[in-house]
Amino acid sequence: MFGRPSWFVEQKIGWGLTPVTWQGWLYTLAWIGVISVPFVMLMTRGLAPEGVIWMTASIGALVWDVHRIIRAKRAGDSPVADESSHVHYIGDDDEASHVVTRNYDLRLRR
């Protein structure tokens, strides 16, 4: 996921996102550039099949990224929705060291 969930709000009608911060607008403009500039260059050089392939692949990547942002927003803007879930314990003691990364919430008992 390239964009952050806090940069956008979900559309009330239809599917998609609306930017609410300058980072969200910059993200949107970057995607417009990434999709349109190579497409226009390919089409002006007479490479229509390659242009269509580029457009299809890049829009697919955009849809995938928007889907991941929406999923993260619905999960509560955090990689771990519930503090007690997704915790793996190693050992038998009650004292725990707590390490949180972007994808994992790990507690090591000593």
Side-chain angles (χ1 to χ4, degrees), residues 86-90 97-101 104-108:
H86 309 294
V87 177
H88 301 282
Y89 291 100
I90 301 172
S97 297
H98 191 195
V99 178
V100 178
T101 65
Y104 299 102
D105 184 9
L106 177 67
R107 293 183 187 188
L108 178 62

Side-chain angles (χ1 to χ4, degrees), residues 12-30:
K12 298 193 187 303
I13 299 174
W15 183 83
L17 299 168
T18 302
V20 292
T21 64
W22 69 269
Q23 293 97 335
W25 285 105
L26 185 64
Y27 170 87
T28 303
L29 290 173

Side-chain angles (χ1 to χ4, degrees), residues 1-18 27 62-78:
M1 172 173 38
F2 299 111
R4 292 195 179 174
S6 60
W7 297 348
F8 303 95
V9 294
E10 281 190 70
Q11 291 183 350
K12 298 193 187 303
I13 299 174
W15 183 83
L17 299 168
T18 302
Y27 170 87
L62 175 62
V63 168
W64 176 77
D65 198 31
V66 168
H67 172 69
R68 294 196 39 108
I69 293 170
I70 290 172
R71 204 169 81 194
K73 286 190 79 56
R74 290 180 181 169
D77 291 333
S78 81

